[in-house]
Amino acid sequence: MKLLSIFTGLCLIVSLIVNRQKTWAGVKKGALMFLRLLPTLVLMLALVSVVLYLIPEEKLSKYMGEGSGIAGWVTAALFGSVALIPGFIAYPLCGILIKSGVAYSVIAVFITTLMMTGFLTLPLEAKFFGWRVSIIRNLVSLAAALLIGLIMGFFL
Amino acid sequence: MNKVQKYIFPIIFLILIGLSYLFDFASGEQIGLNFWMFFKEMILFLPLMFILIGLFDVWVPRENIEKHIGKESGWKGTGLVILLATLQAGPLYGAFPFAYILWKKGCSIRNVFIYLGAFSTIKIPMLTFEIGFLGLKFSLLRTLITLPIFILIGYLMEWYLKDKDFEVKQP
């Protein structure tokens, strides 16, 4: 985050020095795009906060824990696909899940779906790629996550 | 979605959260807290990202992108987009606008999806986090397994979309 701010600041300064008009045109373009997306973003974050409230942490470790078998995989994949948790929360959560007996392969599925798929972000993704392609990308990623989990299971 | 619909749901949501706080409705307050956590992350990070995208749009010439990560760029192009993606940070929805600008400048369909794959799964700032909590072995193994899989997804999407007039739209 800090790095990104510094980097953006530097780019902005250099750009301003080289060509002021071009810089403002670029910033305006970016800002407009952001403002147009903002309502969709807020809606998406609202959906995520409701889902996250409905599924608390203890339930997760219960459903994905030791001896959960296929159910653990399904929970990991489902929850991972729906939720959208920033890394700084997701990894500590995974650390806790591992300690409470969740298998590494299940964690791999969870992490991968968490990052690659986002069914709640579909309205946003569809604005760029269209609904059909977005849904296909998410489904393919979900399949990929399960495959990754399976292969991880062989090694860990 | 028309204009009214676009704004009405977020506004209703915010009003409901406001009412929850007013009347001490615990579930609503908890959801409000969650929302605030996500919103904070987004509002700090996305405006910066969009400024960069705007600057990228005005400064980087199309020929450069097309030559390096366009249709004919081959493995070198793939390597380049992966490198580009791993150096970034933030949630996946931050990558969509960047994917749009890359595509607009002539990046190939395959590389757009490889970019999304790399962005979501092997960002370096995130990997350091992962190593900290899940260990080097897990992280390394996951990266090595994931890498070929999302490259394959890129090829798959390219193959699927090749005669479909696919375009990344500006929202």
Side-chain angles (χ1 to χ4, degrees):
Chain A
M1 191 59 224
K2 229 192 226 157
L3 224 75
L4 185 69
S5 329
I6 295 170
F7 182 68
T8 311
L10 279 179
C11 288
L12 206 57
I13 291 168
V14 172
S15 174
L16 269 171
I17 292 171
V18 181
N19 186 333
R20 202 176 284 197
Q21 262 172 332
K22 240 180 164 178
T23 306
W24 287 130
V27 171
K28 218 171 99 188
K29 224 176 213 171
L32 266 176
M33 230 167 133
F34 176 64
L35 288 178
R36 265 200 299 264
L37 276 180
L38 199 57
T40 316
L41 273 168
V42 169
L43 183 66
M44 177 190 92
L45 295 181
L47 287 174
V48 178
S49 12
V50 173
V51 168
L52 215 61
Y53 167 76
L54 294 175
I55 314 173
E57 213 170 272
E58 308 85 65
K59 275 217 181 114
L60 271 185
S61 53
K62 197 180 123 205
Y63 288 131
M64 290 197 265
E66 234 166 330
S68 60
I70 294 286
W73 281 66
V74 173
T75 313
L78 276 182
F79 184 67
S81 314
V82 172
L84 164 102
I85 313 177
F88 59 87
I89 296 170
Y91 284 115
L93 173 64
C94 287
I96 295 169
L97 290 176
I98 290 274
K99 283 204 188 86
S100 61
V102 178
Y104 276 103
S105 52
V106 174
I107 290 292
V109 173
F110 182 55
I111 291 256
T112 313
T113 48
L114 211 52
M115 296 183 300
M116 277 182 98
T117 66
F119 284 101
L120 292 182
T121 51
L122 269 177
L124 189 77
E125 189 170 347
K127 280 200 178 317
F128 291 94
F129 298 108
W131 280 99
R132 207 168 54 146
V133 173
S134 303
I135 291 171
I136 290 173
R137 192 196 70 81
N138 275 278
L139 288 178
V140 171
S141 303
L142 180 60
L146 291 172
L147 183 65
I148 290 166
L150 264 176
I151 303 174
M152 289 289 279
F154 280 117
F155 289 102
L156 286 172
Chain B
M1 262 204 280
N2 64 37
K3 266 233 158 82
V4 180
Q5 272 177 323
K6 198 172 156 190
Y7 290 100
I8 201 89
F9 290 116
I11 290 171
I12 290 177
F13 175 77
L14 292 177
I15 291 174
L16 285 178
I17 295 298
L19 286 176
S20 308
Y21 274 92
L22 215 58
F23 295 108
D24 279 332
F25 178 53
S27 306
E29 285 179 356
Q30 188 55 49
I31 291 173
L33 271 180
N34 283 345
F35 177 75
W36 178 240
M37 175 179 85
F38 292 129
F39 187 75
K40 243 182 3 202
E41 192 206 16
M42 179 202 79
I43 210 72
L44 286 174
F45 152 82
L46 273 189
L48 294 176
M49 191 87 178
F50 275 100
I51 290 176
L52 281 180
I53 289 168
L55 291 178
F56 189 88
D57 195 18
V58 290
W59 284 114
V60 181
R62 193 189 153 89
E63 304 84 65
N64 269 3
I65 297 292
E66 217 174 312
K67 190 174 129 212
H68 292 296
I69 54 177
K71 266 204 177 112
E72 319 292 331
S73 59
W75 283 102
K76 238 167 99 189
T78 301
L80 260 171
V81 274
I82 292 177
L83 187 72
L84 183 70
T86 53
L87 294 176
Q88 289 178 294
L92 179 60
Y93 61 78
F96 298 144
F98 210 81
Y100 157 72
I101 211 79
L102 285 180
W103 185 83
K104 186 186 157 203
K105 296 276 182 187
C107 177
S108 67
I109 294 176
R110 182 195 339 139
N111 282 343
V112 165
F113 284 100
I114 291 175
Y115 170 80
L116 288 180
F119 184 99
S120 54
T121 54
I122 57 171
K123 290 183 298 263
I124 287 166
M126 202 186 67
L127 285 182
T128 57
F129 238 90
E130 180 173 349
I131 294 168
F133 280 99
L134 296 173
L136 183 63
K137 195 175 157 200
F138 179 89
S139 216
L140 212 61
L141 204 57
R142 195 187 59 77
T143 305
L144 286 178
I145 297 169
T146 309
L147 196 70
I149 289 183
F150 68 67
I151 292 177
L152 188 74
I153 291 180
Y155 276 90
L156 224 91
M157 292 306 275
E158 180 183 57
W159 167 79
Y160 171 72
L161 292 169
K162 69 172 183 281
D163 314 311
K164 291 203 167 59
D165 280 333
F166 171 72
E167 55 170 8
V168 184
K169 290 182 290 273
Q170 175 168 20

